[in-house]
Amino acid sequence: MRPDLRTQQRDFLLEITRAITAQLDLGEVLRRVLYASLVMLAGRVGVIALSDKQDGKYYVRAYSGISADTVPDLNSKLHELIQTLDEGGFSREFLDSKLREMADAIDARLVQSIAMPLVFANNPLGLLIVFRSYQTAITPEDVNTLQSFADQAAIAVNNAQLYGEIYNERQRLEAIINSSGDGVLILNPDLTIQQANSAFEQMSGWRKEDLAGLPKNEVIVWANLDGADIESALGAGWAQANSQDPQIKTLNVEGDLIRRDGSAVSIGITYAPLMAKEGGLESIIASVRDISSFRKAQEMQSIFISTIHHELRTPIAIIKGYASTLGRDDVDWDREVIREKMAIIEDEADRLTNLVEDLLAASKLQTTRKLRLNLADVDLRLVATRAAARLEDSTTQPIELSFPDNFPLVPGDETRLRQVIDNLLTNAIKYSPAGKSITVGGRFSEKSVTVFVRDQGAGIPKREIDKIFDRFYRIDDNLTRRAQGAGLGLFLAKAIIEAHGGDITVKSQVGSGSTFYFTLPRDAPG
Ligand code: ADP
């Protein structure tokens, strides 16, 4: 090798060393290695093939002096070459003949090829091949220099590949954390926040960017906490216990979290320690679940039990009382008294039947989430008139009707719509004082009809308006407590109206009364 070539080679070796330290992008590393080797060896064509992690085969990853359509052919020749290598090595002649084939496939003018394996820590990473259009003798000294060049290149390639893998792994983890429906917080051992995901952002009302670096306690502010939070577990040697035991001991806490805007949400947190390879706590992963629906279900269950208990007890007590009175042997009741008492027993039995039916309908809605409707043309004015007449018998409140004469028929399920009107009227009676009139009326447009029920009762506070349509929800006030009801009427009314493609709303003024409206489309619900 000529002295000026040697100096050039040293320079290129330096260039590769710089590539190792400066570049972590695999494509860029390969480009630099290829460029350096082509100049160094005065090559015409250069190819770097790397072993694929998935199938172990070699594929061309960088090339110079050839067009892209040559690559598939080169790849298949490389596969044959490497397969023979795996099957017990090959002779110099075999390698030369394969390289010859490759050179011929590229360009007949290529007369010499030099192949250098890229090996890192005894692991073959790939192959660097340079083709020349002239032939020169290669001395053992040249081979040494070339090999140390290839070794440096292999380090650079290995670093870039590792970096790429770590980068991909990190992206994968980020994607998993960010797509998780549960909130995730990664805490440092001093309990400051390292990272949070989008679900936690939603749950807590804090923005992810604002969370990094904050002490956990500034963000996880408990209103009610069952048990103790992570601090006391850490104090009691939770991390140490975990570093000695391969079985991870997680810590679960539950309570109400005060969100950034001051509202509360029930959450459960599972803390898991991430131990460093060399022992010691690296970080703590906190997965945070919104358990409000679970809590709500529990609450619902207890409301359900107490409502049912209360609502069943009254009619049953009345029925039992009258039945045993009538059954007494020592009294001879006259027919009128018997008729009266039997009518009361019948009314109470009806009330029980209605309650059971409402309960069944509510539980069915809970599981199937839809109601089946028997559609026909319904005269809501007639339905309302009959309901008013029926209910007027049992109340001291006059019920006025306010429908236009040409009020149209609408497609609907008459039985269910009757149930809605009955319920709104019964509520108006229950929740307004004796003597105050109630109005049921309607109006219509080209597209829809609206029925309203107006009372002059206690009214409904604003904060309760949305809740009264919830299952088992009853306003906690004296008026409601005195009135019978299971809190199912409006829930079912809403479900029925929505199944018709309509909606139900209420306007109310505390002290002066409420008006419930339901609107139905005049086209049959789809
Ligand atoms: P309930 O069986 O308790 O009457 P509903 O679902 O029909 O159940 O109503 C839910 C709650 O809404 C009632 O408990 C009552 O507190 C309130 N409410 C309903 N209608 C009226 C009204 N017209 N005026 C005032 N409050 C009402």
Side-chain angles (χ1 to χ4, degrees), residues 137-182:
I138 297 172
T139 64
E141 196 185 345
D142 291 344
V143 172
N144 269 346
T145 317
L146 289 177
Q147 196 49 61
S148 67
F149 167 80
D151 289 345
Q152 299 282 8
I155 295 172
V157 169
N158 187 59
N159 278 355
Q161 278 183 330
L162 277 183
Y163 180 77
E165 277 167 27
I166 292 170
Y167 178 82
N168 290 343
E169 193 58 25
R170 206 186 153 84
Q171 294 290 99
R172 213 165 64 91
L173 259 179
E174 286 285 291
I176 293 174
I177 290 177
N178 270 323
S179 62
S180 153
D182 282 351

Side-chain angles (χ1 to χ4, degrees), residues 216-232:
K216 182 217 82 178
N217 279 344
E218 254 181 58
V219 177
I220 306 284
V221 181
W222 295 109
N224 297 301
L225 178 62
D226 294 345
D229 204 355
I230 182 85
E231 289 80 0
S232 47

Side-chain angles (χ1 to χ4, degrees), residues 311 423-424 427-432 453 455 457-460 467-470 472-477 479-480 483-492 508 513-516:
E311 285 302 298
N423 180 256
L424 295 181
N427 279 355
I429 297 168
K430 280 197 296 191
Y431 304 114
S432 64
V453 175
D455 65 53
I460 302 161
K467 300 191 209 151
I468 56 172
F469 294 97
D470 288 350
F472 298 119
Y473 192 82
R474 308 193 78 212
I475 298 174
D476 190 13
D477 61 14
L479 188 64
T480 303
Q484 282 175 327
L488 285 174
L490 290 179
F491 168 74
L492 292 173
S508 186
S514 317
T515 309
F516 284 81

